[in-house]
Amino acid sequence: MPTTTDMPLDVKLMALATQLLLGVFALLALGALGTWAVRHPAWTVKGISVHGDVAHQNAVGLRAQLATQMRSRLSSSFLTVDLEQVRQMFEQVPWVRRAMVQREFPNRLRVTLQEHDAVAWWGEQGSGELVNSHGEVFEASPDDVDGLPELAGPDGRAAEVLALHQALQAQFARLELGLERLELGERGGWRARLHSGAVIELGRGTPEELQARVQRFVGTLPQITERYAGALQTVDLRYPNGYALRVRGVTTTNDQTSPNTRSNR
């Protein structure tokens, strides 16, 4: 009968050590091969294509604004380039609201941009700050946004001011009046200015209360303008059961510099 003999312990340990070393060498070799493959010139990012909203951007302008950052990113491997950093790089460009970055094999990046849709100035016209259709304030130096209204208010309240402006503008539009400016004061009072220059004190209140005051005013304004032909100068809607207004050339006193009238409708 065949007999089996156990290997000495030292031989077993040497065999196990040999296998472990071979495994380590294999892992190191694979790591070195992977590093070589990743760093191979074939995987260098060759370019970035830009798509989406580009009304205020172009390839030449983006290259000029991002020249230094793009050189450092494009020198990275296509497989290791940080897409989040590239996204942040593009979102720092004026007019860019969102950027989505994707890899395009074998060696290009695809960037899809969403631009801000400017609907109003924040502060004064030409201030360099605009409000987009989402009620977000962003910085830009536009040259093609003439005619935008002005919105103003405390920091973080732009969306609220925009929403009320849109609601009130719809009411003023019934009489073909344009709402040029809407401002929220630090103490919560609202003031509006029409394209004609007339200033309207809206006072404090919820959006529903403010809209009700404007609706009451707009509903009776045609009767006022039929009676008083002068240009509207100021309107005060803060009265509980009516409003006061100033019309050029109309007065209730002998002082021609203080023309006032009052409606209790």
Side-chain angles (χ1 to χ4, degrees), residues 87-106:
R87 181 189 66 80
Q88 294 176 1
M89 175 181 71
F90 276 89
E91 289 184 355
Q92 293 173 359
V93 176
W95 288 104
V96 175
R97 180 174 182 265
R98 294 283 187 271
M100 182 176 66
V101 184
Q102 299 170 299
R103 291 183 175 87
E104 282 191 335
F105 285 92

Side-chain angles (χ1 to χ4, degrees), residues 182-202:
L182 181 63
E183 179 178 354
L184 171 61
E186 292 291 341
R187 296 184 178 181
W190 293 83
R191 174 181 294 174
R193 186 177 71 226
L194 302 180
H195 284 303
S196 64
V199 176
I200 303 176
E201 295 290 347
L202 300 168

Side-chain angles (χ1 to χ4, degrees), residues 146-168:
D146 294 336
L148 291 181
E150 297 176 0
L151 305 180
D155 292 341
R157 307 288 293 274
E160 181 181 352
V161 180
L162 175 62
L164 184 60
H165 179 277
Q166 293 172 335
L168 297 184

Side-chain angles (χ1 to χ4, degrees), residues 38 67 104 107 114 148 168 190 211-212 217 221 227 242 249 257:
V38 168
E104 282 191 335
N107 51 23
Q114 178 192 20
L148 291 181
L168 297 184
W190 293 83
Q211 292 178 57
F217 166 66
L221 184 59
R227 183 176 179 183
T257 63

Side-chain angles (χ1 to χ4, degrees), residues 233 245-252 255-261:
Q233 292 183 304
L245 54 82
R246 179 187 294 266
V247 178
R248 187 182 303 278
V250 179
T251 182
T252 57
D255 184 0
Q256 296 297 323
T257 63
S258 302
N260 293 277
T261 187

